[in-house]
């Protein structure tokens, strides 16, 4: 049943008169009568009782009217949502981002963007790199802020900024007095790291391989604050991003790494073959154009 015919049926059910309904709908009476016949044929039963050349909606018609009104309302709602989504000043953006960016970068960028474009809403998801990129590929997220750059060619990537890495050690550790070092200086130390599927772990493994290190990983965490806490408790050392300030909860010492690869690129990704909605495109342009931290 076409939406137009549903609307015709509702008008006919409300007026219970072919001539009046045809005039209101601006169609001919024969056209409306043929549409009603097709409608009843598809329903499998008469929807009106014919009484003295008038129509009376019967019990079957009452059921059809209820669902027809609901269907029309749903389609109108869908049209409204699509129109809003196509408007760069409204609609919603489904954004996924790394756990490690949840405390400063993402909230700050969202605040700045919402100050400029308050009509756009966000559906947010935070998680590890492999989960958020999967959400993009499966259509559950429009954009993802992640690191490092995915190898998958199905993504479009835009670098947002480069984050330096350092070695977190407990206070009083033999390396704590240093200001700069190569990762090779931590040879023989127990390491706290993220699980293998996490992006930062991949960067750490690459750094260790370049230095010829086979780290003794004593614990695999799921979040950087957990790594910092275990380092502070003396469980080992860890490769982490350089902290934004000294107010973090973990009491650790951060020693800058001089290795050329001691960094991770943080960037924005989306599915290459799926066009971004106007509000998602506007947010992506905003992030790319924003002053880098």
């Amino acid at each position: 049943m076409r939406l137009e015919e549903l609307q015709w049926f509702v008008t006919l059910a409300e007026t219970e008169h072919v001539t009046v309904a045809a005039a209101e709908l601006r169609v001919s009476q024969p056209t409306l009568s043929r549409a009603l016949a097709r409608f009843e044929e598809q329903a499998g039963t008469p929807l009106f009782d014919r009484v003295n050349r008038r129509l009376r909606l019967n019990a079957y018609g009452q059921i059809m009217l209820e669902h027809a009104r609901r269907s029309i309302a749903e389609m109108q709602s869908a049209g409204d949502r699509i129109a809003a989504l196509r408007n760069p000043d409204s609609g919603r953006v489904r954004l996924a981002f790394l756990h490690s960016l949840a405390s400063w970068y993402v909230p700050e960028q969202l605040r700045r963007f919402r100050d400029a474009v308050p009509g756009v809403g966000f559906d947010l998801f935070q998680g590890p790199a492999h989960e958020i990129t999967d959400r993009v590929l499966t259509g559950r997220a429009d954009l993802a802020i992640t690191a490092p750059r995915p190898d998958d060619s199905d993504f479009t990537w835009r670098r947002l900024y480069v984050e330096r890495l350092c070695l977190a050690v407990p206070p009083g550790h033999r390396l704590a007095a240093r200001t700069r070092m190569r990762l090779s200086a931590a040879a023989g130390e127990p390491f706290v790291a993220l699980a293998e599927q996490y992006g930062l772990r991949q960067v750490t493994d690459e750094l260790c391989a370049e230095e010829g290190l086979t780290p003794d990983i004593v614990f695999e965490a799921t979040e950087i604050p957990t790594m910092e806490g275990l380092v502070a408790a003396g469980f080992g050392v860890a490769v982490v991003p350089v902290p934004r300030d000294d107010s973090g909860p973990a009491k650790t010492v951060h020693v800058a790494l001089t290795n050329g690869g001691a960094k991770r690129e943080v960037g924005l990704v989306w599915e290459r073959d799926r066009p971004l909605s106007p509000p998602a495109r506007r947010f992506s342009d905003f992030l790319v154009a924003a002053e880098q931290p």
Side-chain angles (χ1 to χ4, degrees):
M1 298 176 185
R2 296 181 303 166
L3 179 61
E4 180 183 59
E5 291 184 344
L6 283 177
Q7 294 170 326
W8 288 4
F9 169 74
V10 170
T11 301
L12 193 55
E14 291 173 345
T15 61
E16 293 187 327
H17 199 291
V18 174
T19 302
V20 174
E24 184 174 327
L25 294 168
R26 298 184 179 180
V27 299
S28 68
Q29 293 184 41
T31 298
L32 185 57
S33 295
R34 287 194 295 270
L36 175 58
R38 289 193 302 271
F39 203 85
E40 290 182 319
E41 182 180 357
Q42 292 177 20
T45 185
L47 302 175
F48 294 88
D49 297 328
R50 276 71 174 175
V51 181
N52 298 326
R53 302 178 65 181
R54 291 290 303 268
L55 300 177
R56 292 290 183 269
L57 196 66
N58 60 28
Y60 304 115
Q62 290 287 352
I63 295 173
M64 185 62 73
L65 177 61
E66 175 186 345
H67 286 273
R69 284 171 170 163
R70 189 180 304 163
S71 297
I72 291 169
E74 286 292 332
M75 292 302 296
Q76 289 174 339
S77 176
D80 292 342
R81 291 179 63 189
I82 290 172
L85 193 62
R86 291 178 58 84
N87 183 350
D89 293 330
S90 63
R92 302 192 69 79
V93 178
R94 297 171 301 168
L95 176 67
F97 53 91
L98 291 177
H99 282 298
S100 57
L101 305 179
S103 63
W104 68 281
Y105 179 73
V106 171
E108 177 61 18
Q109 298 305 318
L110 289 176
R111 182 193 64 77
R112 294 178 61 244
F113 181 77
R114 287 167 64 85
D115 284 346
V117 193
V120 172
F122 285 85
D123 299 319
L124 303 176
F125 173 84
Q126 69 172 28
H130 65 284
E131 288 188 12
I132 63 177
T133 51
D134 180 68
R135 292 181 78 88
V136 172
L137 285 180
T138 56
R140 293 175 293 161
D142 302 310
L143 301 165
I145 303 174
T146 188
R149 179 175 183 169
D151 294 330
D152 199 320
S153 61
D154 291 331
F155 291 110
T156 296
W157 164 270
R158 294 290 183 271
R159 190 176 76 174
L160 299 176
Y161 68 96
V162 176
E163 192 169 50
R164 296 298 304 178
L165 302 178
C166 63
L167 190 72
V169 301
H173 189 274
R174 65 179 181 87
L175 299 173
R178 298 197 181 191
T179 57
R180 297 166 63 83
M181 56 172 276
R182 291 190 65 84
L183 186 59
S184 57
E189 295 288 339
F191 273 72
V192 178
L194 294 178
E196 290 184 355
Q197 67 267 34
Y198 286 68
L200 181 59
R201 170 64 180 275
Q202 296 166 20
V203 175
T204 301
D205 287 348
E206 291 172 2
L207 281 173
C208 289
E210 290 174 2
E211 295 284 76
L213 296 180
T214 302
D216 175 20
I217 297 177
V218 295
F219 186 79
E220 291 184 334
T222 58
E223 294 187 358
I224 292 175
T226 302
M227 296 168 61
E228 294 265 11
L230 291 175
V231 169
F235 277 77
V237 301
V239 175
V240 298
V242 173
R244 304 299 299 180
D245 53 49
D246 296 326
S247 61
K251 296 180 180 179
T252 57
V253 176
H254 297 91
V255 184
L257 291 172
T258 59
N259 303 70
K263 61 184 178 181
R264 65 172 182 172
E265 288 186 321
V266 176
L268 187 68
V269 298
W270 60 91
E271 208 276 322
R272 183 181 300 278
D273 296 328
R274 184 184 303 121
L276 290 175
S277 67
R281 170 63 66 183
R282 180 159 186 176
F283 183 61
S284 68
D285 291 344
F286 170 85
L287 289 180
V288 172
E291 181 179 352
Q292 305 307 310

